[in-house]
Amino acid sequence: MVGALSLTTVAVADEQKPPYQASERAHELAQKHLIIDTHIDVPYRLKKDWEDVTVATERGDFDYPRAKAGGLNVPFMSIYIPANLEQTPGASYQLAHELIDSMEALAWRAPDKFAIAYSVDDVMTQYEKGLISIAMGMENGSPIEGDLDNLTTFYNRGIRYITLAHSESNHIADSSYDIRKQWNGLSPFGKELVTAMNNIGVMVDISHVSDEAFWQALEVTNVPVIASHSSLRQYTPGFERNMSDEMIKGLAENGGVIMINFGSSFVTQQANRYNAMIAKQAEKIREELGADSEEAKARIATLRASNPYPYATLEQVLNHIDHVVKLVGIDYVGIGSDYDGVGDSLPVGLKDVSTYPNLIQGLLDRGYNEAEIEKILYQNLIRVWRAAENYAANH
């Protein structure tokens, strides 16, 4: 167990390193090859703060011009459902449909720029037409509401992966964030759901779930699974939301793929512990001076200003990719950035969807060849998606 870090230690970060300057070669590869990113939180971002992402936007990490500049061809738009909605029957189901509606509306408003992708073949056809394919994954399975007919409904609307749980355990699986392990893994319905997802062609996403739920999902599934936006516990010891080396080996044996999350708190231990340590110090100040006192507010503001957020760097994200490759090989890693989902915590050099060439440049600098980079950018995920489609076609 790594010892507690002081605030002084946390404040020492690599953010002073100059941003990457991708070469012409990196930009060329970004435009030449498909780039699939399996987790971008545009739908919920637009629900909270609407902007027209068919043109350049002032806020957020994604819009059409930046996506084209970065070479992004297939953003899996996250149909994110807050965990607390499960307590209100019908609320998760309704929100999921509303967010899917918003993505259909986006494609309808700009048919020269976007199209919904229901299959790998759609992706390839739309790529040839120069369109960005909007694929969709459901982040939190709570909209299924214990009814497999709802799985069919959402499949027909375009959902192609489901993250079984989110920040709290639900009726499907235990969450890595939730100390209440009510199922000790998957619920009985969760096991049924994994089999049903296999049979209909929806990829099983094990990001967010507890370790026990992960291993049980591997036991139940008949096709490879994905971790749509997770990174490595190797660099964030004790953070169950990330994956251990043993889990990555299990994922590779299953034929699955881990899509690396760019959020700094997923990438480095410093960033991972930062918020908790700031919160602890702030609580002490509130206890000493009064929660609503002006002096307390001023002291907390000073605390934050004197301990800036320790942004990760592109190099540290590349370390995660390297570790997976060294551990299990090139066939089991991809990109699941969590753009628009992690707030102002993105690494230096990877601040929005225009910066995939920087990632490619980093891979080139580390000796990856073009064929290996292709696997990371899209081929590994396409392999799993095809496997899901093929299994469903026979079941």
Side-chain angles (χ1 to χ4, degrees), residues 37 40 61-72 337 339 350-357:
D37 188 325
I40 296 181
D61 309 326
F62 174 96
D63 57 41
Y64 180 79
R66 284 182 285 173
K68 290 298 283 187
L72 177 62
S337 65
Y339 282 135
L350 292 173
K351 291 295 187 184
D352 62 34
V353 294
S354 71
T355 60
Y356 298 106

Side-chain angles (χ1 to χ4, degrees), residues 25 27-36 70-73 127 360 370-371 373-375 377-379:
R25 173 65 171 157
H27 283 282
E28 175 191 325
L29 292 177
Q31 299 299 325
K32 177 181 178 182
H33 298 299
L34 276 169
I35 295 179
I36 299 177
L72 177 62
N73 308 103
Y127 173 65
I360 294 170
E370 184 172 351
I373 291 171
E374 278 188 84
K375 289 190 173 188
L377 296 182
Y378 75 98
Q379 287 181 345

Side-chain angles (χ1 to χ4, degrees), residues 12-277:
V12 178
D14 292 327
E15 70 267 18
Q16 283 107 24
K17 183 172 179 175
Y20 251 74
Q21 297 297 320
S23 66
E24 184 176 337
R25 173 65 171 157
H27 283 282
E28 175 191 325
L29 292 177
Q31 299 299 325
K32 177 181 178 182
H33 298 299
L34 276 169
I35 295 179
I36 299 177
D37 188 325
T38 50
H39 202 85
I40 296 181
D41 276 291
V42 167
Y44 201 73
R45 164 195 161 194
L46 297 186
K47 179 176 176 59
K48 293 174 65 179
D49 182 19
W50 192 86
E51 291 183 292
D52 182 1
V53 295
T54 68
V55 296
T57 59
E58 295 182 3
R59 300 181 293 280
D61 309 326
F62 174 96
D63 57 41
Y64 180 79
R66 284 182 285 173
K68 290 298 283 187
L72 177 62
N73 308 103
V74 189
F76 268 79
M77 296 301 191
S78 172
I79 305 304
Y80 162 65
I81 310 298
N84 66 324
L85 292 187
E86 177 146 311
Q87 308 308 314
T88 305
S92 296
Y93 182 85
Q94 177 175 329
L95 177 59
H97 280 295
E98 290 175 358
L99 296 181
I100 295 169
D101 285 348
S102 74
M103 292 299 96
E104 290 178 342
L106 176 60
W108 180 83
R109 286 191 300 108
D112 58 327
K113 297 176 180 177
F114 297 106
I116 303 295
Y118 299 95
S119 66
V120 174
D121 286 347
D122 283 349
V123 165
M124 298 306 180
T125 299
Q126 288 157 192
Y127 173 65
E128 292 299 322
K129 295 178 179 178
L131 299 173
I132 291 178
S133 288
I134 296 174
M136 288 181 284
M138 179 181 286
E139 186 178 18
N140 189 356
S142 63
I144 302 301
E145 296 194 333
D147 186 345
L148 294 180
D149 287 343
N150 289 339
L151 171 64
T152 302
T153 296
F154 286 118
Y155 173 83
N156 289 337
R157 295 216 62 192
I159 294 297
R160 290 301 177 266
Y161 75 70
I162 295 176
T163 316
L164 300 179
H166 191 251
S167 58
E168 297 176 9
S169 299
N170 61 15
H171 71 285
I172 297 166
D174 290 333
S175 166
S176 61
Y177 286 120
D178 197 336
I179 61 173
R180 304 165 301 161
K181 307 299 185 188
Q182 60 178 321
W183 305 114
N184 293 315
L186 299 179
S187 71
F189 176 76
K191 294 174 183 178
E192 287 183 47
L193 179 63
V194 168
T195 298
M197 289 168 66
N198 287 173
N199 291 342
I200 202 171
V202 174
M203 291 179 282
V204 176
D205 177 20
I206 53 74
S207 287
H208 279 285
V209 303
S210 68
D211 287 12
E212 293 82 1
F214 164 79
W215 289 111
Q216 289 172 23
L218 289 194
E219 289 174 9
V220 174
T221 187
N222 292 302
V223 295
V225 306
I226 66 169
S228 70
H229 59 305
S230 294
S231 296
L232 310 187
R233 218 174 287 175
Q234 167 76 14
Y235 299 100
T236 56
F239 185 43
E240 189 177 350
R241 172 66 178 80
N242 275 348
M243 296 184 70
S244 69
D245 283 4
E246 184 181 8
M247 294 166 77
I248 294 164
K249 290 176 182 177
L251 186 73
E253 289 175 9
N254 160 263
V257 59
I258 177 173
M259 315 300 284
I260 298 300
N261 190 316
F262 293 173
S264 292
S265 66
F266 293 83
V267 175
T268 72
Q269 185 78 324
Q270 287 182 334
N272 188 263
R273 292 188 171 187
Y274 174 85
N275 287 334
M277 287 188 289

Side-chain angles (χ1 to χ4, degrees), residues 269-341:
Q269 185 78 324
Q270 287 182 334
N272 188 263
R273 292 188 171 187
Y274 174 85
N275 287 334
M277 287 188 289
I278 288 288
K280 185 176 180 180
Q281 294 292 329
E283 184 59 30
K284 287 182 179 178
I285 292 170
R286 292 188 187 99
E287 289 175 358
E288 178 185 344
L289 301 175
D292 296 322
S293 73
E294 293 303 316
E295 186 178 358
K297 292 176 183 177
R299 285 267 298 275
I300 291 169
T302 300
L303 172 71
R304 292 185 180 279
S306 59
N307 293 279
Y309 187 80
Y311 294 104
T313 65
L314 170 57
E315 293 294 334
Q316 290 167 320
V317 174
L318 291 167
N319 290 344
H320 286 248
I321 294 174
D322 276 353
H323 188 78
V324 176
V325 173
K326 290 172 184 175
L327 190 67
V328 295
I330 192 68
D331 296 318
Y332 309 103
V333 64
I335 300 168
S337 65
D338 216 346
Y339 282 135
D340 278 325

